[in-house]
């Protein structure tokens, strides 16, 4: 199997882009990634997106965007795995290169959510859950996560305030990210007194939706010059890539407090990379809700079961901590344009590995991990990237 | 690159399956394919589907179906390329195996369209076109094809009646297909006098939508016993597989009467297989509308530009003709459950190559081609399969 390198990255700010169409948004990120890579075209385009049909009245999204960015006649499809669509699109691009079918691929994610009415967006997001057995009973996505958090707090004897560091760290990191949706710091008092959404999840436990796009240019690593650097930057390769799934409905899982798909996909990625959790310098996890940060950290082996909040309380998740997370703001503060999020995560990992993360730079970052979750833990994609310095 | 074999096929009848949910429909085809292959599980599931979000309120479709059919923790995503989603899902499965990432893949297509009101379905199908520049102006999908057919009849001096053989042959072939939606013959008089839909497309130029699912089990060809047969059947391998795209909006194309993406993808597939159009024993083309049959035959090199209807008028497209098409009824009469259609086509090619096509068997069929189109010629996937007897 051919190893894959990421040689270009691009992103738009996550925001309310009422002035830009879906294709314009995607194009902005893709053109930036091509310029960054020093390339003009690609053989294929894999678009991570969840809601273009429901919220933008547009399917055939691969073709729409390939056409717009001038990838004339290139292969192009949309990949959907709910909020895990972006990570799945990166996996699709990896397989296209590894199989020898393509020599240069663009994997991008785009989502345009803020033109719709809030209740439309909530209903659209619920299509990530089991339509017949969860959504049909009125369970919104925040409600499903609230049930999980409620149970977690009860079973492992935490208090709501123990989750504060996840949100505080993410917001702090976002203050230095020009692409972030909510680039401001929050205090523990603000966290504790934020408006309740679905008990125990309050406004500052939840990530904001948004409009945004992110893109990568991927090539076989053996195409890169042998000194291992591109444009004077460290070469970044994908060392581990895996996806696993779980029962779509939380009530079908043996343990609703354990992300089995995160455990399986991260173990597979560690094994491919020949690494263990100790080797990971930072972790862009899927903090759609603060409870998800705890569950991801546990399932990926960074702390024992039920102890996720401990890492935050002990100061281990900040930029200079043992396992920095959400280094550019995470879903919580960079924002969560759902189908694009998984690609934003990889873009941010590459920024760190290249040493381009500015005030948020993780010192000596060499190995970065990203994990993208679709549904309430149902579809989980894990990537491990390495800088060759 | 590892060559891929198809060792299992399954399908449901294309019909109005009001009694079956989306997952039940997909499961029926997938279980049939697994039984046919003599397998119990797979490493990954690629679901071709266009409209589950809009018409069934369900995304995260890969996980939903993997969960339902018991592919516990397997990788699973939905692939969308409008009506070309099924063919694109087969391509995704092929790349997963060819890359070495997986050793057994299920590629399936499912679509459930008849629960919705007809105007909802028409609006949903229009999302395959350019939402901002075609659909927004009220252009339905049949209207786009009507404009193309109108221009074709004018430019190449045909009459509407010259397209009759495409529909008559498809309906004739469907009479022997137990999975067909419209398993009855039609006469040239019925064709000529059918209800007008969007001039010059009448009811018998257009394929019917429907609910249906089809599935394949794919493995590396080198996993098969060296005598080249499985369960006493000829081994069927994928010899060519390619996808190309074109401008999404017909008005952006230099020549609206030429399927450039069909030409490119078929030439690439011919080249991979080391074959020419003369070597193709039969062709499952994308006869969503009769005009599309003519355009596909031309772009794939079976007849010169502007002369597609000639093949029908000369009796060349029937089961014993020079280039049999729609051998099990095609989109026109087997039915067109949009995101599933591309997988139905491959299932039917395998049936022919195994000699399981009953009354519709193409004698000595060794090489079969399938072509699946998303949008009005915008996303085109071509596969060439071979029987090793």
């Amino acid at each position: 199997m051919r190893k894959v390198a990421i040689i270009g990255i691009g992103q738009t700010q996550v925001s309310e882009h009422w002035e830009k169409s879906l294709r314009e948004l995607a194009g902005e990120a893709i053109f930036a990634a091509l310029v960054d890579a020093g390339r003009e075209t690609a053989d294929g385009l894999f678009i991570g997106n969840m809601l273009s049909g429901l919220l933008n009245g547009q399917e055939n999204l691969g073709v729409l965007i390939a056409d717009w960015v001038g990838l004339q006649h290139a292969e192009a499809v949309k990949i959907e795995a709910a909020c895990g669509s972006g990570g799945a699109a990166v996996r699709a691009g990896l397989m296209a290169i590894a199989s020898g079918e393509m020599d240069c691929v663009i994997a991008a994610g785009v989502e345009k959510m803020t033109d719709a009415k809030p209740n439309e967006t909530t209903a659209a997001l619920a299509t990530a859950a089991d339509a017949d057995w969860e959504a049909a009973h009125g369970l919104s996505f925040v409600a499903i996560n609230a049930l999980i958090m409620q149970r977690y707090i009860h079973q492992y004897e935490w208090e709501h305030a123990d989750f504060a560091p996840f949100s505080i760290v993410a917001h702090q990191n976002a203050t230095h990210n020009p692409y972030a949706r909510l680039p401001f710091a929050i205090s523990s008092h603000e966290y504790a007194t934020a408006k309740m959404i679905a008990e125990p999840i309050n406004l500052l436990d939840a990530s904001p939706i948004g409009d945004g796009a992110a893109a990568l240019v991927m090539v076989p690593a053996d195409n890169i010059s042998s000194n291992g650097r591109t444009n004077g930057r460290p070469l970044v390769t994908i060392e581990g890539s895996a996806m696993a799934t779980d029962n779509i409905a939380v009530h079908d899982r043996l343990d609703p407090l354990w992300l089995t798909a995160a455990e399986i996909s991260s173990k597979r990625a560690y094994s491919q990379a020949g690494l263990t959790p100790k080797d990971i310098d930072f972790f862009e996890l899927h903090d759609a809700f603060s409870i998800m940060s705890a569950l991801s950290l546990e399932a990926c082996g960074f702390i024992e079961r039920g102890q996720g909040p401990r890492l935050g309380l002990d100061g281990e998740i900040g930029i200079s901590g043992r396992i920095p997370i959400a280094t550019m703001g995470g879903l919580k503060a960079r924002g969560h344009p759902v189908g694009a999020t998984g690609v934003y995560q990889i873009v941010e990992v590459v920024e760190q590995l290249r040493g381009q993360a500015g005030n948020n730079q993780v010192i000596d970052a060499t190995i970065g991990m990203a994990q993208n979750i679709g549904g309430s833990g149902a579809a989980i994609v894990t990537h491990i990237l390495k800088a060759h310095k």
Side-chain angles (χ1 to χ4, degrees), chain A:
Chain A
M1 190 176 121
R2 302 203 290 182
K3 188 170 280 192
V4 172
I6 297 173
I7 60 165
I9 55 175
Q11 60 187 317
T12 72
Q13 190 186 358
V14 181
S15 185
E16 297 187 6
H17 289 293
W18 299 350
E19 77 293 3
K20 287 175 189 156
S21 69
L22 192 62
R23 75 187 93 191
E24 288 171 317
L25 209 51
E28 202 173 307
I30 290 170
F31 288 134
L34 283 168
V35 166
D36 185 53
R39 300 264 176 154
E40 295 200 339
T41 189
D43 305 322
L45 176 65
F46 297 89
I47 294 287
N49 171 274
M50 178 183 172
L51 298 172
S52 71
L54 278 166
L55 297 185
N56 316 113
Q58 181 73 66
E59 291 293 357
N60 218 358
L61 194 64
V63 177
L64 180 93
I65 295 170
D67 186 7
W68 177 252
V69 301
L71 296 182
Q72 217 173 13
H73 308 309
E75 184 153 359
V77 295
K78 161 173 161 175
I79 309 284
E80 187 275 320
C83 304
S85 301
V90 176
R91 284 261 315 137
L94 177 137
M95 287 191 271
I97 290 174
S99 66
E101 286 277 309
M102 302 183 196
D103 287 323
C104 182
V105 160
I106 296 170
V110 62
E111 205 76 71
K112 188 159 165 56
M113 308 176 72
T114 70
D115 290 357
K117 298 189 191 86
N119 63 333
E120 291 170 350
T121 309
T122 300
L125 287 169
T127 65
D130 188 318
D132 299 337
W133 299 98
E134 291 181 322
H137 299 281
L139 261 182
S140 70
F141 231 73
V142 60
I144 292 173
N145 280 274
L147 291 170
I148 295 173
M149 189 172 182
Q150 189 83 272
R151 177 70 202 176
Y152 185 92
I153 286 174
H154 168 76
Q155 184 161 325
Y156 297 117
E157 298 180 358
W158 293 103
E159 291 179 8
H160 178 260
D162 298 325
F163 292 82
F166 292 126
S167 300
I168 291 171
V169 164
H171 274 273
Q172 177 58 40
N173 292 343
T175 60
H176 302 297
N177 180 359
Y179 302 106
R181 174 123 161 82
L182 305 177
F184 52 80
I186 60 167
S187 67
S188 52
H189 175 74
E190 285 169 314
Y191 176 80
T193 57
K195 190 174 152 191
M196 189 55 69
I197 306 295
E199 205 177 345
I201 291 180
N202 74 25
L203 190 65
L204 292 178
D205 286 302
S207 60
I209 63 156
D211 308 328
L216 308 172
V217 179
M218 301 161 74
V219 298
D222 55 18
N223 267 7
I224 309 295
S225 63
S226 58
N227 70 9
R229 300 176 74 88
T230 56
N231 305 331
R233 304 179 302 224
L235 173 67
V236 176
T237 56
I238 300 180
E239 299 291 313
S241 172
M243 178 184 192
T245 60
D246 204 343
N247 304 99
I248 189 167
V250 176
H251 59 247
D252 278 339
R253 294 182 204 149
L254 287 178
D255 182 353
L257 301 185
W258 187 253
L259 295 179
T260 305
E263 181 188 355
I264 293 174
S265 68
S266 65
K267 280 186 174 165
R268 209 177 286 159
Y270 291 139
S271 161
Q272 290 166 357
L275 299 171
T276 71
K278 283 194 199 66
D279 302 309
I280 305 299
D281 294 322
F282 63 100
F283 181 23
E284 295 302 336
L285 48 65
H286 193 91
D287 55 335
F289 300 96
S290 53
I291 178 66
M292 280 292 136
S293 297
L295 297 184
S296 279
L297 287 162
E298 296 168 21
C300 295
F302 293 103
I303 191 158
E304 58 269 38
R305 185 185 290 252
Q307 299 303 308
R310 175 69 48 212
L311 285 168
L313 295 170
D314 290 351
E316 304 280 30
I317 61 173
I319 293 294
S320 55
R322 179 157 64 90
I323 182 67
I325 65 170
T327 69
M328 302 305 283
L331 282 63
K332 177 67 200 84
R334 174 241 297 127
H336 186 25
V338 292
T341 288
V343 184
Y344 273 97
Q345 293 177 314
I346 305 279
V347 164
E348 291 162 355
V349 171
V350 173
E351 288 182 317
Q352 287 284 1
L353 294 179
R354 285 179 177 175
Q356 297 175 332
N359 287 324
N360 292 357
Q361 185 64 48
V362 175
I363 305 304
D364 293 331
T366 304
I367 307 282
M369 185 158 101
Q371 185 165 76
N372 188 202
I373 303 185
S376 53
I380 305 193
V381 188
T382 306
H383 280 99
I384 297 176
L385 277 65
K386 180 176 178 176
H388 302 261
K389 294 180 183 175

